[in-house]
């Protein structure tokens, strides 16, 4: 396995946790690298300990390792250029929100809670030396059918997890994105300090 260490660290205006500085969303993954089961467990344990409204923990995950039928099902459902790069990831995860409780009552915070759990997962994965890339570009109906999902579950996103690969293996348009500057809105635009 070639160790690729492309530094895409965030140019922060205040000191952050190492994993937050180092996290970014690559599209080049090492197609030969697997994630050890223990590491995968650690990553989902981080998701498990995310906060949620009333502690209902409405996040559910379908985890598919490269080379399995499940992985092929998730990969088949990806749209556009996501299909081009995501096949090299070690794991594809379908992120599900249980948007209705067992009595049929809506859970207004379920998607928000799932997002927090996925955020925990991405930071822990980074800490474990992995990278993650979330996706909204997929065919929901295809994933629902493939995994015969319960009506109470909503497919919100898909996350690729893997070991960073060589950007040179990507098609031109995607390779350029691997090196494009990482930008963010200024903090002053995001935060209003109430008087
Ligand atoms: C909900 C969500 C959906 C996304 N959908 C896609 C996608 O379909 N394809 C893709 O290549 N990147 C996708 N991204 C990745 C974002 O483009 C990326 O996180 C953003 O540009 C910031 O870059 P960074 O994660 O490297 O900091 C998605 C990210 C999120 C959080």
């Amino acid at each position: 396995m070639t160790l690729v260490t492309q530094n895409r660290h965030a140019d922060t205006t205040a000191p952050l946790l190492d994993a937050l500085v180092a996290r970014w969303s690559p599209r080049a993954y090492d197609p030969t690298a697997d994630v050890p089961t223990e590491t995968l467990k650690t990553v989902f344990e981080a998701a498990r300990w995310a906060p949620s409204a009333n502690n209902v923990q409405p996040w559910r995950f379908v985890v598919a390792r490269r080379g399995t039928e499940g992985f092929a099902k998730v990969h088949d459902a990806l749209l556009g250029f996501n299909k081009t790069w995501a096949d090299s990831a070690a794991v594809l995860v379908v992120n599900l929100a249980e948007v209705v409780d067992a009595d049929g009552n809506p859970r207004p915070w379920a998607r928000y809670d799932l997002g927090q759990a996925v955020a925990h997962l991405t930071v822990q994965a980074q800490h474990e030396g992995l990278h993650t890339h979330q996706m909204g570009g997929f065919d929901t109906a295809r994933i629902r059918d493939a995994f015969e999902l319960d009506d109470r579950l909503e497919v919100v996103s898909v996350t690729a997890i893997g070991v960073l690969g060589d950007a040179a293996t990507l098609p031109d348009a995607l390779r350029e994105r691997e090196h494009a500057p990482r930008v963010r809105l200024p903090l002053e635009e995001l935060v209003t300090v109430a008087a």
Side-chain angles (χ1 to χ4, degrees):
M1 184 178 88
T2 323
L3 187 61
V4 183
T5 51
Q6 188 186 358
N7 179 349
R8 302 266 291 151
H9 285 186
D11 180 15
T12 68
T13 57
L16 301 185
L17 298 174
D18 290 348
L20 287 174
V21 174
R23 188 214 61 80
W24 65 286
S25 304
R27 295 186 177 86
Y29 288 91
D30 180 343
T32 65
D34 286 325
V35 178
T37 301
E38 277 308 301
T39 310
L40 212 49
K41 183 177 173 188
T42 299
V43 162
F44 282 98
E45 185 68 4
R48 178 173 171 244
W49 282 99
S52 62
N54 294 313
N55 199 22
V56 295
Q57 306 158 60
W59 41 73
R60 301 289 182 271
F61 305 98
V62 177
V63 181
R65 284 184 180 276
R66 192 182 54 243
T68 63
E69 206 176 306
F71 187 98
K73 286 177 181 175
V74 182
H75 183 256
D76 281 351
L78 298 180
L79 297 175
F81 64 80
N82 286 338
K83 228 179 191 134
T84 312
W85 61 264
D87 56 345
S88 299
V91 180
L92 289 175
V93 182
V94 180
N95 302 313
L96 303 163
E98 203 172 72
V99 293
V100 177
D101 72 16
D103 299 322
N105 301 311
R107 284 182 173 155
W109 306 109
R111 296 170 195 82
Y112 181 92
D113 294 338
L114 171 69
Q116 292 210 79
V118 175
H120 269 214
L121 179 159
T122 62
V123 175
Q124 189 69 43
Q126 192 71 44
H127 181 74
E128 303 300 326
L130 300 169
H131 280 77
T132 55
H133 196 130
Q134 300 178 58
M135 285 170 269
F138 57 85
D139 182 333
T140 307
R142 228 166 149 160
I143 290 188
R144 295 205 76 84
D145 288 353
F147 296 104
E148 298 175 0
L149 297 175
D150 190 284
D151 285 349
R152 288 165 55 207
L153 294 171
E154 184 175 308
V155 187
V156 176
S157 57
V158 172
T159 306
I161 305 177
V163 172
L164 190 61
D166 187 352
T169 61
L170 291 172
D172 290 353
L174 292 182
R175 189 171 59 246
E176 279 164 27
R177 289 178 185 228
E178 292 304 84
H179 300 289
R182 299 190 62 219
V183 289
R184 288 300 190 266
L185 297 171
L187 203 51
E188 301 71 38
E189 205 173 310
L190 310 176
V191 180
T192 304
V193 180

